[in-house]
Amino acid sequence: MTGTVTEENQTGVLMILVTGASGQLASRIVTHLHALGADAVGGSRSPDEHDRALDFDVPATLDLTGVDTLVLVSAGYAEDDVVVHRHSTVLEAARRDGVGHVVYTSLVGAGDHLAFALAHRATERLLRNSGMRWTILRNGLYAELVGALLSWEEAHLVSPFGAGSIAAPTRDDLALAAALVAADPPGHVSRVHELTGPPFAVLDIANELAAPVQELSLDEYRRGLLDTPGMQPFQPPMLTSIASSIRHNMLAGHHPDLADILGHEPGNGLEAAAASAISTRPG
């Protein structure tokens, strides 16, 4: 089901605001909305000339007046209480300022066991109880993220993922899906979409790159994360839960929702993951 921009969008009556506009997903959503002819703007704590100032941690900046559809891109990496408080504050502002529809980028349902799932599910509950119209986009883990979580030891690709597979979509496909939904929200009211791509084995990334694999156990992976300078306390459990989930094929299930929204089959997650992995190779 492909989205279309309503007449109000084309005349500028309805306005779409996308949070986290400085991030890779949100910036792509804004770009796709503009390509669809939508009246869209990004919101960011560090806005450029085209964005609106919007800082989840500073409630005074949360002016959503005139916004018809809010695309709430998850507030990023932090402890659960911080993330849920940020989302709650934004949703309160949306209700106060008369936002008509909220599109939330959540986490794929198969990821309930991931260490960062709770904040997403708590936000989904807040949204369902908000009294506003809503759509939940349960995004699979980005293919680009899977590739970036691999590392290199000389010519060897270092992996904690074993022989596991994952149905990881590309970030751009998820951004386009969000834009299509936000551009035509009436067709998605009270819908929960599970957005995944064609599954691939993480070992296939090494085959794509013709690189031998150096495998890590989960214990070795966690210990390495704990020794990484600048790693925040919540990050090793989060990243290890991703590695364990992929290793044990907990994220390999494919759903048709992404193709239904896009109107075509999703892009090749394996190629995107391989490109991400090779970009981190030293030298």
Side-chain angles (χ1 to χ4, degrees), residues 108-217:
V108 65
D112 276 349
H113 45 275
L114 292 169
F116 49 97
L118 185 147
H120 286 290
R121 300 300 174 247
T123 302
E124 290 184 12
R125 183 171 59 188
L126 289 171
L127 192 52
R128 292 175 191 271
N129 295 331
S130 69
M132 294 181 287
R133 295 188 300 274
W134 55 266
T135 305
I136 293 169
L137 304 179
R138 287 183 167 177
N139 289 351
L141 298 185
Y142 310 143
E144 293 87 349
L145 172 63
V146 175
L149 290 178
L150 299 167
S151 59
W152 292 89
E153 183 66 37
E154 296 182 350
H156 287 73
L157 196 60
V158 182
S159 171
F161 301 131
S165 296
I166 182 170
T170 68
R171 185 183 283 112
D172 196 63
D173 274 347
L174 293 175
L176 177 54
L180 289 167
V181 169
D184 185 25
H188 302 274
V189 174
S190 301
R191 296 285 302 276
V192 178
H193 295 297
E194 299 281 348
L195 305 182
T196 60
F200 59 88
V202 177
L203 286 177
D204 286 341
I205 299 174
N207 294 334
E208 286 280 308
L209 302 178
V213 176
Q214 177 181 324
E215 294 195 13
L216 294 179
S217 69

Side-chain angles (χ1 to χ4, degrees), residues 10 57-58 84-85 90 92 94 127 141 147 149 154 157-158 172 179 197-198 204-205 212 221 236 243 255 264:
Q10 293 171 335
D57 296 323
V58 183
V84 175
H85 177 71
V90 174
E92 285 294 332
L127 192 52
L141 298 185
L149 290 178
E154 296 182 350
L157 196 60
V158 182
D172 196 63
D204 286 341
I205 299 174
Y221 184 55
H255 300 269
H264 56 77

Side-chain angles (χ1 to χ4, degrees), residues 18-130:
V18 183
T19 70
S22 60
Q24 295 188 60
L25 178 65
S27 62
R28 283 174 166 81
I29 294 172
V30 173
T31 297
H32 284 301
L33 282 166
H34 288 162
L36 292 169
D39 182 9
V41 64
S44 171
R45 68 172 57 191
S46 303
D48 62 20
E49 59 183 317
H50 304 294
D51 294 336
R52 179 185 290 197
L54 193 75
D55 189 335
F56 289 3
D57 296 323
V58 183
T61 69
L62 301 180
D63 179 5
L64 302 177
T65 304
V67 176
D68 183 78
T69 299
L70 175 70
V71 181
L72 174 55
V73 176
S74 181
Y77 300 119
E79 297 287 358
D80 288 340
D81 56 343
V82 174
V83 175
V84 175
H85 177 71
R86 288 171 175 169
H87 292 174
S88 175
T89 302
V90 174
L91 291 176
E92 285 294 332
R95 182 164 47 196
R96 177 198 67 208
D97 294 338
V99 171
H101 193 111
V102 178
V103 178
Y104 174 56
T105 63
S106 188
L107 173 69
V108 65
D112 276 349
H113 45 275
L114 292 169
F116 49 97
L118 185 147
H120 286 290
R121 300 300 174 247
T123 302
E124 290 184 12
R125 183 171 59 188
L126 289 171
L127 192 52
R128 292 175 191 271
N129 295 331
S130 69

